[in-house]
Amino acid sequence: MHRYKIADVVFDLQTIYGYTVKLCENYAYTGNEPPAFFAVMTKEDIDAEKKLAPEFPEPYLESLAVFRKLCDYCLINADGIIFHSSAVMVDGKAYLFTAPSGTGKSTHARLWREMLGERAVMINDDKPIIRYIDGKFYVYGTPWNGKHRLDTNMRAEIKAICRISQAKENSIRKVSGAEMLMTVMNQTIRPSDITAMDKLLSLIDKMLKSVDLYFLGCNISREAAELSYTTMSGEKLL
Amino acid sequence: MKIKDGFILREVAGSFIVVAVGDRAKDFNGIINLNETGAFLWERLSKGADENQLKEALLAEYDVDENTAAADIKNFVSKLEEAGLLK
């Protein structure tokens, strides 16, 4: 059995394969907080994931099943949601880039790192957890960190969410919650249980009302990163 | 005429959306975005209103003439039918 703390949730885990244990090693927990739940992974958990993604090997599917259990717990008990995005922290504030897979959110986050150097910290490049705590939205690093394996075991308050689309010319504009809603819905893991769904929708409603929202059309260039960074942070580049 | 079970309409961030829950989520994974009138009609259709009742409700609530209301309802209902959302 292994104990982890992810998104400030402590839990115990027993897996069939070693893959998830290796994946989560930076999140191992040895402190005094008691675990919130104990997940014992079974063949059935893996089979359920196999139905959704039959092309992947079982050890990887088991890691997805663990992630799903953690997400289910977070949504109901910890005001937590999964938002498919690339989360970068600069000067203590987090910026989340979202887009359908393959559009370039990881690439844009990389442009920020090239431009800002060590000031830009990758919280998670693929599947961060967002939690609503005391009236603020925080993004947490998780080990489910995308193909470039980028994450940091920390949290940061979210300043802005930015939807990326590919464009020849760079442009950015602030948008309303109503404009951003479908993007967020499509990039969030949605439950089928009605109580959980209502919880998710109320969290999304609050989030869209409390963080800055932008649509960015961009190419792959330093200018694109400059435009998105200066607009969203309100800072000038030194 | 009624909306199939398992669809819920909610207002989120000033926008109206319909999502599937329970068993319905197994065969419907999408999200439907409705405008205000669409949400108004959906709510009544989920309680089983027919086209006449929808028209009366629209006329009572909105500043719209009878022909426009009837055409809007026909259009909305046929879209729902096409999408397989009615029973």
Side-chain angles (χ1 to χ4, degrees), chain A residues 116-150:
Chain A
L116 296 162
E118 287 181 358
R119 280 173 69 204
V121 177
M122 285 307 295
I123 291 181
N124 185 286
D125 203 25
D126 193 48
K127 293 186 186 77
I129 289 177
I130 293 173
R131 284 188 62 185
Y132 179 61
I133 301 168
D134 296 334
K136 289 176 179 168
F137 283 89
Y138 295 89
V139 60
Y140 283 84
T142 75
W144 293 271
N145 54 10
K147 66 175 178 218
H148 306 296
R149 310 258 70 118
L150 296 168

Side-chain angles (χ1 to χ4, degrees), chain A residues 49-58 60-61:
Chain A
E49 295 298 328
K50 201 178 273 181
K51 276 186 196 147
L52 301 173
E55 68 275 28
F56 293 116
E58 292 202 347
Y60 176 75
L61 291 174

Side-chain angles (χ1 to χ4, degrees), chain A:
Chain A
M1 190 196 73
H2 298 266
R3 184 165 291 179
Y4 301 102
K5 187 176 190 176
I6 300 174
D8 279 341
V9 173
V10 177
F11 65 99
D12 287 342
L13 177 66
Q14 186 182 311
T15 58
I16 298 168
Y17 299 101
Y19 176 83
T20 308
V21 176
K22 178 91 181 101
L23 181 75
C24 296
E25 64 185 357
N26 290 338
Y27 293 76
Y29 182 68
T30 53
N32 292 326
E33 264 182 72
F37 64 93
F38 183 13
V40 180
M41 303 313 290
T42 63
K43 187 82 177 58
E44 287 72 45
D45 292 319
I46 295 171
D47 287 346
E49 295 298 328
K50 201 178 273 181
K51 276 186 196 147
L52 301 173
E55 68 275 28
F56 293 116
E58 292 202 347
Y60 176 75
L61 291 174
E62 183 179 44
S63 78
L64 293 183
V66 172
F67 188 58
R68 202 175 294 276
K69 280 191 196 298
L70 176 63
C71 300
D72 289 348
Y73 176 86
C74 278
L75 178 58
I76 296 301
N77 304 285
D79 287 338
I81 62 178
I82 309 309
F83 182 49
H84 184 214
S85 58
S86 186
V88 192
M89 182 185 78
V90 180
D91 301 337
K93 299 278 185 192
Y95 301 85
L96 273 54
F97 296 108
T98 187
S101 294
T103 306
K105 57 185 184 302
S106 292
T107 303
H108 196 76
R110 174 173 59 77
L111 293 173
W112 272 41
R113 295 199 299 281
E114 288 169 6
M115 180 178 72
L116 296 162
E118 287 181 358
R119 280 173 69 204
V121 177
M122 285 307 295
I123 291 181
N124 185 286
D125 203 25
D126 193 48
K127 293 186 186 77
I129 289 177
I130 293 173
R131 284 188 62 185
Y132 179 61
I133 301 168
D134 296 334
K136 289 176 179 168
F137 283 89
Y138 295 89
V139 60
Y140 283 84
T142 75
W144 293 271
N145 54 10
K147 66 175 178 218
H148 306 296
R149 310 258 70 118
L150 296 168
D151 75 286
T152 311
N153 184 357
M154 65 173 299
R155 76 169 190 182
E157 191 182 342
I158 301 172
K159 178 162 174 60
I161 296 173
C162 180
R163 187 197 74 179
I164 288 181
S165 50
Q166 296 174 354
K168 276 205 179 109
E169 304 288 327
N170 298 310
S171 67
I172 190 166
R173 70 182 176 94
K174 210 167 183 174
V175 299
S176 68
E179 283 175 281
M180 188 62 102
L181 176 64
M182 290 304 268
T183 300
V184 170
M185 287 297 296
N186 281 318
Q187 301 301 327
T188 306
I189 293 183
R190 302 198 299 273
S192 56
D193 173 71
I194 185 165
T195 312
M197 179 64 91
D198 271 322
K199 187 109 199 207
L200 174 72
L201 295 179
S202 104
L203 284 168
I204 288 176
D205 180 71
K206 283 196 194 82
M207 182 169 80
L208 291 176
K209 287 169 179 165
S210 60
V211 309
D212 296 336
L213 307 168
Y214 296 89
F215 284 175
L216 170 71
C218 63
N219 53 38
I220 301 171
S221 67
R222 184 187 159 96
E223 289 70 37
E226 273 187 36
L227 176 68
S228 63
Y229 172 70
T230 54
T231 308
M232 294 199 292
S233 69
E235 305 280 336
K236 289 197 169 64
L237 280 168
L238 298 176

